[in-house]
Amino acid sequence: MVTDYLVIGSGIAGLTFAVKIAEEFADREITIVTKGDEDESNTKYAQGGVAVVLDTEEDSFQKHIQDTLIAGDGLCDEPVVQMVIKEGPKRFKELITWGANFDIDPRGNFNLGKEGGHSEHRVVHHKDITGLEMERTLLARVHQLENVTLFSHHFAIDLITEHHLKQGVSHQLSCYGAYVLEERTGKIHTIKAKNTLLASGGIGRAYGYTTNPDVATGDGIAMAYRAKAQIKDMEFVQFHPTALYNKQGESTFLISEAVRGVGAFLRNKKGHRFMPDYDPRAELASRDIVSQSIDNELKKSGDTHVFLDCTHLDSEAFKKHFPNIYETCKTLHIDIEKDWIPVVPASHYLCGGIVVDKNGKTTIKNLFACGECSRTGLHGANRLASNSLLEALVYAHNIFKYLTGESNQPMDFEIPDRNDEGTSIPKEHVLIQHNLKELQALMRDYVGIVRSNDRLTKAITRLDIIYKEVEELYKTSKVNTSLCELRNMINVAHLIIGESLSRKENRGGYFNIDNI
Ligand code: FAD
Ligand code: SIN
């Protein structure tokens, strides 16, 4: 199969780019592959909203820039921060022209929420299901465009570079598309593309205890890494302070930071409101500080979770802004009007990833990255809440703009199909499940919110054992999604641990007791 633009992923990053480029070039083909249902993504679950400066009487670009830089703890790329925040309002308004709805206050202005680290109310939202509304809007637009084809349940296995071509490796590597597994038939397609966009999202599932859905396995980062693209800042895994506690310690529902934005308190088991002990901004300190404070409270007490107290809030206003959170709690017999919500930090977002410039270009020619899999320099050591959807919108536009200036080159060479000679269908599925559980436990216990060189070194030793076993299985097996995902998460874990061991000072979301 040949296409002009191959987009890997159907979250906000991939879909926004696809809509824009398809609208501009009706004669060019855009192919989106996505490994699950078409809407399954981190985007779909985004709750709080999009941070954007719309009310310039109270707010200003400068304040949003300052808040982003403070959250990033000295490691943001300032020109990138300036660019993203100033471009934000234009990109946000495009979403509205495509049909997205955001909450409006009684005066007819956008209802602006507040989250940790923000000095002003600036988070536009659609109740507490902002991501679902964005995903709905973008998918509807994609389906209207005749030059976009979206293949769901198609898993990108590897990028195609010179390593796969008969002509051998040239000075600068280029990307020529990807090998893609059609999950329902097991057939591997060679998709040859003039330009490839990785929009494959985050890595949450490498930790098991995560706010992310099952698709967040870091595939794009692992593929780019194997293709030899530059990857950076992988040690900055962001833990969201308030994931709903469950005894199983698996993927978990998020209680939005916007709930603290309307005044909810964090309490320990004894009922003490502890955040003022740690930071003058209390519950609205940036996420790294709140998560590390909760971790400290749990270590001191030996408890498994803390609580979010909403009992003093206006319950009617709560139900209106947070209907999804209210209902989810209710089904678990938590009545937010009377009961405190049990919460615990969980892996939520990756600040690092595939290095890109302001045009979303990676270090490999014709390969772009956008959204959570990319490392733009916006977030530094810790992402400011609700800056992620914004970043994806702005960079999808920048990549589109860059590519409109590029000529549409012919692709007159052959790419060999993926060679899986000598492999067979893996019989021991238990090996995949067992190693996945071990990897997730390892990442949670040894590479969590508070790290130490000793735990990180032990983690590497154990990871190497898992790596060898899985590589062996991979070499002899016909590929399937769960095996590839596990292999990708192992790559990602190596990158996180490796970069953690190299970081000699604590910044933002990275905290190592040996650096104190
Ligand atoms: P995603 O939306 O995750 O999309 C990735 C896509 O790639 C998916 O379609 C996936 O199936 C596909 N994919 C992955 N690997 C492959 C492969 N190998 N082959 C084919 N397809 C593949 N950010 C905010 O700014 N505001 C918020 O309020 C907010 N709330 C959040 C709440 C939750 C619960 C979570 C989990 C995240 C939240 N975030 C929020 C973060 C934000 O949602 C994500 O960072 C953002 O949506 C990422 O968008 P994306 O397009 O880069 O990736
Ligand atoms: C939330 O609603 O708390 C998530 C916001 C984010 O991750 O940006």
Side-chain angles (χ1 to χ4, degrees):
M1 190 188 302
V2 180
T3 188
D4 292 302
Y5 305 97
L6 171 62
V7 177
I8 299 173
S10 58
I12 187 169
L15 295 178
T16 305
F17 170 78
V19 166
K20 287 187 159 245
I21 203 89
E23 284 179 346
E24 181 77 15
F25 298 113
D27 59 335
R28 296 189 191 171
E29 285 298 319
I30 295 91
T31 303
I32 306 174
V33 293
T34 194
K35 66 178 171 179
D37 291 344
E38 63 178 16
D39 66 344
E40 191 58 355
S41 56
N42 275 6
T43 301
K44 178 180 173 184
Y45 299 96
Q47 294 187 356
V50 189
V52 67
V53 177
L54 296 173
D55 173 4
T56 42
E57 265 173 41
E58 294 289 320
D59 203 1
S60 68
F61 287 140
Q62 204 42 44
K63 285 186 188 171
H64 190 183
I65 290 166
Q66 242 353 76
D67 292 345
T68 303
L69 294 173
I70 291 169
D73 205 6
L75 293 188
C76 299
D77 181 336
E78 195 165 338
V80 166
V81 175
Q82 302 248 9
M83 182 273 289
V84 171
I85 283 164
K86 289 180 184 167
E87 287 294 305
K90 283 182 244 159
R91 306 288 74 89
F92 168 70
K93 282 172 191 156
E94 279 170 353
L95 264 180
I96 296 177
T97 64
W98 292 330
N101 296 303
F102 294 92
D103 292 1
I104 302 287
D105 70 18
R107 287 174 299 147
N109 299 322
F110 285 111
N111 184 315
L112 301 176
K114 195 171 183 192
E115 292 176 28
H118 288 276
S119 56
E120 293 294 342
H121 284 76
R122 63 167 73 97
V123 182
V124 281
H125 55 91
H126 179 102
K127 304 189 189 324
D128 54 357
I129 48 170
T130 309
L132 190 65
E133 174 64 7
M134 290 179 153
E135 195 64 26
R136 177 198 69 74
T137 304
L138 289 164
L139 279 169
R141 186 73 196 112
V142 154
H143 290 307
Q144 285 164 354
L145 291 160
E146 285 182 2
N147 52 338
V148 185
T149 312
L150 191 158
F151 293 106
S152 55
H153 299 282
H154 278 62
F155 181 91
I157 305 168
D158 261 319
L159 298 168
I160 301 168
T161 63
E162 276 81 0
H163 296 290
H164 304 92
L165 302 186
K166 295 201 176 89
Q167 73 213 42
V169 180
S170 63
H171 175 61
Q172 198 204 356
L173 284 171
S174 300
C175 180
Y176 303 96
Y179 293 115
V180 174
L181 171 73
E182 186 176 345
E183 292 173 324
R184 288 188 176 133
T185 60
K187 187 168 169 17
I188 297 174
H189 300 277
T190 304
I191 304 187
K192 190 168 152 182
K194 289 174 191 160
N195 293 287
T196 301
L197 175 68
L198 283 168
S200 47
I203 57 109
R205 202 163 138 72
Y207 278 83
Y209 204 64
T210 177
T211 63
N212 292 190
D214 286 354
V215 291
T217 54
D219 301 336
I221 296 169
M223 277 189 268
Y225 171 67
R226 289 195 294 269
K228 308 213 178 321
Q230 192 189 352
I231 314 288
K232 202 173 164 197
D233 290 350
M234 295 293 287
E235 68 275 38
F236 297 118
V237 175
Q238 183 171 71
F239 292 83
H240 195 294
T242 54
L244 188 63
Y245 170 72
N246 70 44
K247 282 198 188 87
Q248 298 75 34
E250 288 171 354
S251 286
T252 182
F253 181 74
L254 181 74
I255 308 293
S256 175
E257 195 149 308
V259 173
R260 276 174 283 135
V262 298
F265 296 145
L266 278 165
R267 297 189 188 280
N268 61 21
K269 209 170 179 178
K270 289 187 181 144
H272 175 60
R273 186 184 162 207
F274 56 86
M275 272 316 298
D277 305 341
Y278 292 91
D279 192 287
R281 294 167 295 175
E283 283 82 359
L284 286 180
S286 56
R287 228 166 245 185
D288 49 344
I289 292 170
V290 182
S291 291
Q292 286 162 15
S293 307
I294 295 175
D295 189 74
N296 193 45
E297 287 293 308
L298 298 180
K299 289 216 166 88
K300 274 193 314 192
S301 63
D303 293 335
T304 49
H305 55 278
V306 295
F307 296 93
L308 192 65
D309 175 6
C310 306
T311 55
H312 55 290
L313 302 177
D314 173 345
S315 64
E316 286 315 307
F318 188 100
K319 283 182 217 168
K320 202 161 166 238
H321 188 160
F322 305 109
N324 189 32
I325 294 174
Y326 179 82
E327 284 303 325
T328 304
C329 287
K330 202 165 132 193
T331 58
L332 297 167
H333 309 290
I334 303 164
D335 176 355
I336 64 105
E337 290 171 62
K338 292 198 294 266
D339 305 321
W340 297 346
I341 308 171
V343 290
V344 71
S347 122
H348 180 64
Y349 183 83
L350 178 68
C351 300
I354 307 159
V355 173
V356 293
D357 68 8
K358 278 194 192 165
N359 295 318
K361 285 163 69 180
T362 70
T363 50
I364 295 182
K365 200 166 166 232
N366 302 333
L367 179 67
F368 298 78
C370 186
E372 193 166 339
C373 67
S374 67
R375 184 270 181 203
T376 62
L378 175 69
H379 309 307
N382 174 51
R383 174 180 63 105
L384 183 68
S386 287
N387 264 359
S388 167
L389 297 170
L390 179 75
E391 179 194 52
L393 289 172
V394 170
Y395 272 83
H397 177 80
N398 288 6
I399 298 169
F400 150 73
K401 268 287 174 219
Y402 173 81
L403 284 171
T404 51
E406 292 283 288
S407 58
N408 204 17
Q409 300 289 342
M411 289 187 86
D412 45 9
F413 51 84
E414 286 295 304
I415 296 176
D417 285 341
R418 193 171 177 280
N419 184 356
D420 62 354
E421 247 171 58
T423 59
S424 56
I425 294 169
K427 292 184 191 74
E428 297 273 24
H429 199 75
V430 66
L431 287 182
I432 300 174
Q433 280 316 311
H434 177 85
N435 279 305
L436 173 62
K437 290 241 154 13
E438 215 174 306
L439 172 75
Q440 291 173 333
L442 180 82
M443 293 303 284
R444 187 188 57 220
D445 297 339
Y446 288 36
V447 198
I449 298 174
V450 174
R451 300 177 198 168
S452 75
N453 289 343
D454 183 44
R455 281 199 296 266
L456 290 169
T457 312
K458 288 193 165 95
I460 280 280
T461 309
R462 288 179 193 201
L463 189 63
D464 280 343
I465 298 169
I466 302 175
Y467 168 78
K468 285 193 187 109
E469 198 166 308
V470 172
E471 252 344 82
E472 194 55 40
L473 185 65
Y474 185 80
K475 277 188 203 131
T476 54
S477 300
K478 289 221 178 300
V479 293
N480 63 47
T481 297
S482 51
L483 178 56
C484 290
E485 286 180 334
L486 174 59
R487 186 169 176 251
N488 289 336
M489 285 186 276
I490 293 169
N491 281 175
V492 162
H494 262 291
L495 287 164
I496 295 172
I497 301 169
E499 291 210 51
S500 295
L501 279 166
S502 310
R503 176 152 292 283
K504 298 297 171 215
E505 55 171 9
N506 293 335
R507 289 288 185 104
Y510 182 76
F511 189 81
N512 183 330
I513 51 172
D514 293 308
N515 289 346
I516 299 171

